[in-house]
């Protein structure tokens, strides 16, 4: 709540632990991890600002001023912290990078123009995965019919292909439930007690 755009009028006190779970991507291991890390200085200011929006308030930071000095000024761009498969699909879908992987108007060259460009290995991993999935042609990186379908779905490409195949194989109901579980949040996180009681009814 403390870092959203919502304003809750009766919030007068905020307890800031200084920690948050961030999604990070390792281009060499080709894995995404959700790790607890120290927040940025900008996030700490944002959390402090949620106390006393409409009346006097207090924010308790559960970390030292020395720790604050060593925090990052800002959180890194999403391009540096997430897999780029969906970004590559959208880039080709919108015609922003019509060229091949080695062309000056290709996806790698287009993403390299970003203010905080992603690691070259991250881009090559994304293109390699999309080619392996059959969503892109290896020479030109043009979208195949499958790639056109995946670019419409708001899902990670591997999950999206699983959903498409499930409809063809007649097991879409179970697969859709799996896709939701894989795309939304960890199934091991328990909801609040009142939601559990309502679900049991």
């Amino acid at each position: 709540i403390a870092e959203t755009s919502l304003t809750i009028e009766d919030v007068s006190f905020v307890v800031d632990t200084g920690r948050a779970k961030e999604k990070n991507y390792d281009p060499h291991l080709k894995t995404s991890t959700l790790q607890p890390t120290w927040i940025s200085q900008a996030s700490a200011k944002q959390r402090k600002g949620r106390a006393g929006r409409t009346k006097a308030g207090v924010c308790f930071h559960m970390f030292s001023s020395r720790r604050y000095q060593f925090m990052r000024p800002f959180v890194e761009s999403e391009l540096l912290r997430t897999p780029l498969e969906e970004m590559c699909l959208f880039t080709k879908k919108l015609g922003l990078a019509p060229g091949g992987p080695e062309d000056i108007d290709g996806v790698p060259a287009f993403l390299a123009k970003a203010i905080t460009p992603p690691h070259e290995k991250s881009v090559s991993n994304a293109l390699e995965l999309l080619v392996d999935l059959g969503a892109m042609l290896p020479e030109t990186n043009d979208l195949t019919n499958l790639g056109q379908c995946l670019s419409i779905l708001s899902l990670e490409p591997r999950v999206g292909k699983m959903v498409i195949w499930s409809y063809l194989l007649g097991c879409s109901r179970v697969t859709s439930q799996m896709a939701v579980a894989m795309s939304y949040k960890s199934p091991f996180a328990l909801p609040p007690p009142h939601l559990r009681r309502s679900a049991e009814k």
Side-chain angles (χ1 to χ4, degrees):
I1 293 174
E3 290 188 78
T4 65
S5 59
L6 297 174
T7 297
I8 302 176
E9 296 185 358
D10 59 350
V11 172
S12 300
F13 300 94
V14 171
V15 178
D16 178 14
T17 62
R19 304 285 285 177
K21 286 189 176 182
E22 287 186 3
K23 186 176 181 181
N24 292 296
Y25 176 70
D26 188 328
H28 301 287
L29 297 178
K30 301 182 181 180
T31 56
S32 294
T33 58
L34 191 65
Q35 297 178 339
T37 60
W38 290 104
I39 61 174
S40 66
Q41 294 179 2
S43 296
K45 291 178 181 177
Q46 175 72 10
R47 293 181 179 187
K48 179 178 68 174
R50 306 321 293 179
R53 296 289 289 180
T54 58
K55 59 182 178 180
V58 179
C59 178
F60 298 96
H61 295 290
M62 307 303 289
F63 50 87
S64 65
S65 57
R66 182 175 177 80
R67 165 62 66 182
Y68 177 80
Q69 293 174 358
F70 285 97
M71 287 179 173
R72 301 162 292 169
F74 301 96
V75 177
E76 292 85 0
S77 168
E78 286 283 334
L79 285 175
L80 303 177
R81 298 187 291 115
T82 57
L84 300 175
E85 289 85 12
E86 291 180 76
M87 178 67 67
C88 293
L89 282 175
F90 294 147
T91 300
K92 297 297 287 189
K93 175 73 173 178
L94 297 174
L96 300 174
E102 304 296 333
D103 299 334
I104 59 173
D105 59 346
V107 174
F110 175 77
L111 294 179
K113 298 176 184 176
I115 297 176
T116 53
H119 195 282
E120 294 180 2
K121 187 68 174 173
S122 299
V123 180
S124 63
N125 287 345
L127 295 176
E128 181 181 340
L129 175 61
L130 291 171
V131 170
D132 290 343
L133 288 175
M136 277 186 177
L137 298 176
E139 298 84 8
T140 61
N141 284 160
D142 289 337
L143 295 182
T144 62
N145 291 334
L146 175 61
Q148 294 285 350
C149 295
L150 293 177
S151 65
I152 299 172
L153 298 176
S154 189
L155 292 170
E156 196 270 332
R158 282 174 287 199
V159 178
K161 183 176 181 180
M162 178 181 72
V163 171
I164 292 172
W165 271 103
S166 71
Y167 276 91
L168 298 176
L169 298 175
C171 54
S172 58
R173 180 169 181 171
V174 176
T175 307
S176 297
Q177 294 172 351
M178 293 172 57
V180 170
M182 294 169 66
S183 301
Y184 178 53
K185 61 182 180 180
S186 171
F188 303 106
L190 288 175
H194 68 280
L195 292 180
R196 293 203 295 269
R197 287 193 295 267
S198 60
E200 290 172 358
K201 294 178 182 178

